[in-house]
mmCIF file with all atom_site columns, all heavy atoms in Angstrom:
data_model
loop_
_atom_site.group_PDB
_atom_site.id
_atom_site.type_symbol
_atom_site.label_atom_id
_atom_site.label_alt_id
_atom_site.label_comp_id
_atom_site.label_asym_id
_atom_site.label_entity_id
_atom_site.label_seq_id
_atom_site.pdbx_PDB_ins_code
_atom_site.Cartn_x
_atom_site.Cartn_y
_atom_site.Cartn_z
_atom_site.occupancy
_atom_site.B_iso_or_equiv
_atom_site.pdbx_formal_charge
_atom_site.auth_seq_id
_atom_site.auth_comp_id
_atom_site.auth_asym_id
_atom_site.auth_atom_id
_atom_site.pdbx_PDB_model_num
ATOM 1  N N   . GLU N 1 69 ? 22.563 -20.664 3.303  1.00 0.00 ? 69 GLU N N   1
ATOM 2  C CA  . GLU N 1 69 ? 22.751 -20.243 4.660  1.00 0.00 ? 69 GLU N CA  1
ATOM 3  C C   . GLU N 1 69 ? 21.787 -20.999 5.633  1.00 0.00 ? 69 GLU N C   1
ATOM 4  O O   . GLU N 1 69 ? 22.105 -21.511 6.708  1.00 0.00 ? 69 GLU N O   1
ATOM 5  C CB  . GLU N 1 69 ? 22.636 -18.786 4.839  1.00 0.00 ? 69 GLU N CB  1
ATOM 6  C CG  . GLU N 1 69 ? 23.006 -18.279 6.213  1.00 0.00 ? 69 GLU N CG  1
ATOM 7  C CD  . GLU N 1 69 ? 22.916 -16.746 6.316  1.00 0.00 ? 69 GLU N CD  1
ATOM 8  O OE1 . GLU N 1 69 ? 23.079 -16.115 5.269  1.00 0.00 ? 69 GLU N OE1 1
ATOM 9  O OE2 . GLU N 1 69 ? 22.833 -16.336 7.457  1.00 0.00 ? 69 GLU N OE2 1
ATOM 10 N N   . ALA N 1 70 ? 20.474 -20.957 5.161  1.00 0.00 ? 70 ALA N N   1
ATOM 11 C CA  . ALA N 1 70 ? 19.446 -21.628 6.058  1.00 0.00 ? 70 ALA N CA  1
ATOM 12 C C   . ALA N 1 70 ? 19.726 -23.140 6.134  1.00 0.00 ? 70 ALA N C   1
ATOM 13 O O   . ALA N 1 70 ? 19.567 -23.766 7.243  1.00 0.00 ? 70 ALA N O   1
ATOM 14 C CB  . ALA N 1 70 ? 18.057 -21.448 5.326  1.00 0.00 ? 70 ALA N CB  1
ATOM 15 N N   . GLU N 1 71 ? 20.116 -23.821 5.062  1.00 0.00 ? 71 GLU N N   1
ATOM 16 C CA  . GLU N 1 71 ? 20.406 -25.238 5.125  1.00 0.00 ? 71 GLU N CA  1
ATOM 17 C C   . GLU N 1 71 ? 21.626 -25.457 6.025  1.00 0.00 ? 71 GLU N C   1
ATOM 18 O O   . GLU N 1 71 ? 21.700 -26.435 6.781  1.00 0.00 ? 71 GLU N O   1
ATOM 19 C CB  . GLU N 1 71 ? 20.794 -25.770 3.680  1.00 0.00 ? 71 GLU N CB  1
ATOM 20 C CG  . GLU N 1 71 ? 19.523 -25.858 2.875  1.00 0.00 ? 71 GLU N CG  1
ATOM 21 C CD  . GLU N 1 71 ? 19.797 -26.407 1.459  1.00 0.00 ? 71 GLU N CD  1
ATOM 22 O OE1 . GLU N 1 71 ? 20.999 -26.765 1.155  1.00 0.00 ? 71 GLU N OE1 1
ATOM 23 O OE2 . GLU N 1 71 ? 18.887 -26.405 0.588  1.00 0.00 ? 71 GLU N OE2 1
ATOM 24 N N   . ASP N 1 72 ? 22.599 -24.630 6.021  1.00 0.00 ? 72 ASP N N   1
ATOM 25 C CA  . ASP N 1 72 ? 23.767 -24.700 6.925  1.00 0.00 ? 72 ASP N CA  1
ATOM 26 C C   . ASP N 1 72 ? 23.380 -24.632 8.312  1.00 0.00 ? 72 ASP N C   1
ATOM 27 O O   . ASP N 1 72 ? 23.801 -25.426 9.171  1.00 0.00 ? 72 ASP N O   1
ATOM 28 C CB  . ASP N 1 72 ? 24.750 -23.640 6.544  1.00 0.00 ? 72 ASP N CB  1
ATOM 29 C CG  . ASP N 1 72 ? 26.122 -23.784 7.321  1.00 0.00 ? 72 ASP N CG  1
ATOM 30 O OD1 . ASP N 1 72 ? 26.591 -24.858 7.367  1.00 0.00 ? 72 ASP N OD1 1
ATOM 31 O OD2 . ASP N 1 72 ? 26.529 -22.733 7.892  1.00 0.00 ? 72 ASP N OD2 1
ATOM 32 N N   . VAL N 1 73 ? 22.500 -23.766 8.669  1.00 0.00 ? 73 VAL N N   1
ATOM 33 C CA  . VAL N 1 73 ? 22.030 -23.567 10.025 1.00 0.00 ? 73 VAL N CA  1
ATOM 34 C C   . VAL N 1 73 ? 21.171 -24.824 10.478 1.00 0.00 ? 73 VAL N C   1
ATOM 35 O O   . VAL N 1 73 ? 21.326 -25.259 11.602 1.00 0.00 ? 73 VAL N O   1
ATOM 36 C CB  . VAL N 1 73 ? 21.137 -22.279 10.266 1.00 0.00 ? 73 VAL N CB  1
ATOM 37 C CG1 . VAL N 1 73 ? 20.480 -22.266 11.532 1.00 0.00 ? 73 VAL N CG1 1
ATOM 38 C CG2 . VAL N 1 73 ? 21.911 -21.017 9.978  1.00 0.00 ? 73 VAL N CG2 1
ATOM 39 N N   . LEU N 1 74 ? 20.357 -25.309 9.580  1.00 0.00 ? 74 LEU N N   1
ATOM 40 C CA  . LEU N 1 74 ? 19.580 -26.491 9.929  1.00 0.00 ? 74 LEU N CA  1
ATOM 41 C C   . LEU N 1 74 ? 20.351 -27.709 10.125 1.00 0.00 ? 74 LEU N C   1
ATOM 42 O O   . LEU N 1 74 ? 20.007 -28.633 10.911 1.00 0.00 ? 74 LEU N O   1
ATOM 43 C CB  . LEU N 1 74 ? 18.506 -26.705 8.819  1.00 0.00 ? 74 LEU N CB  1
ATOM 44 C CG  . LEU N 1 74 ? 17.366 -25.747 8.753  1.00 0.00 ? 74 LEU N CG  1
ATOM 45 C CD1 . LEU N 1 74 ? 16.558 -25.983 7.480  1.00 0.00 ? 74 LEU N CD1 1
ATOM 46 C CD2 . LEU N 1 74 ? 16.525 -25.885 10.056 1.00 0.00 ? 74 LEU N CD2 1
ATOM 47 N N   . GLU N 1 75 ? 21.614 -27.832 9.504  1.00 0.00 ? 75 GLU N N   1
ATOM 48 C CA  . GLU N 1 75 ? 22.370 -28.976 9.658  1.00 0.00 ? 75 GLU N CA  1
ATOM 49 C C   . GLU N 1 75 ? 22.901 -29.116 11.063 1.00 0.00 ? 75 GLU N C   1
ATOM 50 O O   . GLU N 1 75 ? 23.195 -30.226 11.568 1.00 0.00 ? 75 GLU N O   1
ATOM 51 C CB  . GLU N 1 75 ? 23.558 -28.978 8.650  1.00 0.00 ? 75 GLU N CB  1
ATOM 52 C CG  . GLU N 1 75 ? 23.230 -29.294 7.248  1.00 0.00 ? 75 GLU N CG  1
ATOM 53 C CD  . GLU N 1 75 ? 24.384 -29.142 6.318  1.00 0.00 ? 75 GLU N CD  1
ATOM 54 O OE1 . GLU N 1 75 ? 25.485 -29.012 6.823  1.00 0.00 ? 75 GLU N OE1 1
ATOM 55 O OE2 . GLU N 1 75 ? 24.160 -29.321 5.123  1.00 0.00 ? 75 GLU N OE2 1
ATOM 56 N N   . TYR N 1 76 ? 23.013 -28.018 11.767 1.00 0.00 ? 76 TYR N N   1
ATOM 57 C CA  . TYR N 1 76 ? 23.327 -28.027 13.156 1.00 0.00 ? 76 TYR N CA  1
ATOM 58 C C   . TYR N 1 76 ? 22.226 -28.567 14.061 1.00 0.00 ? 76 TYR N C   1
ATOM 59 O O   . TYR N 1 76 ? 22.456 -28.987 15.185 1.00 0.00 ? 76 TYR N O   1
ATOM 60 C CB  . TYR N 1 76 ? 23.787 -26.674 13.669 1.00 0.00 ? 76 TYR N CB  1
ATOM 61 C CG  . TYR N 1 76 ? 25.034 -26.187 13.050 1.00 0.00 ? 76 TYR N CG  1
ATOM 62 C CD1 . TYR N 1 76 ? 25.099 -25.199 12.050 1.00 0.00 ? 76 TYR N CD1 1
ATOM 63 C CD2 . TYR N 1 76 ? 26.292 -26.626 13.570 1.00 0.00 ? 76 TYR N CD2 1
ATOM 64 C CE1 . TYR N 1 76 ? 26.262 -24.745 11.557 1.00 0.00 ? 76 TYR N CE1 1
ATOM 65 C CE2 . TYR N 1 76 ? 27.487 -26.285 12.970 1.00 0.00 ? 76 TYR N CE2 1
ATOM 66 C CZ  . TYR N 1 76 ? 27.466 -25.258 11.980 1.00 0.00 ? 76 TYR N CZ  1
ATOM 67 O OH  . TYR N 1 76 ? 28.587 -24.860 11.436 1.00 0.00 ? 76 TYR N OH  1
#
Side-chain angles (χ1 to χ4, degrees):
E69 184 177 338
E71 286 177 10
D72 185 49
V73 169
L74 286 174
E75 285 179 7
Y76 290 105

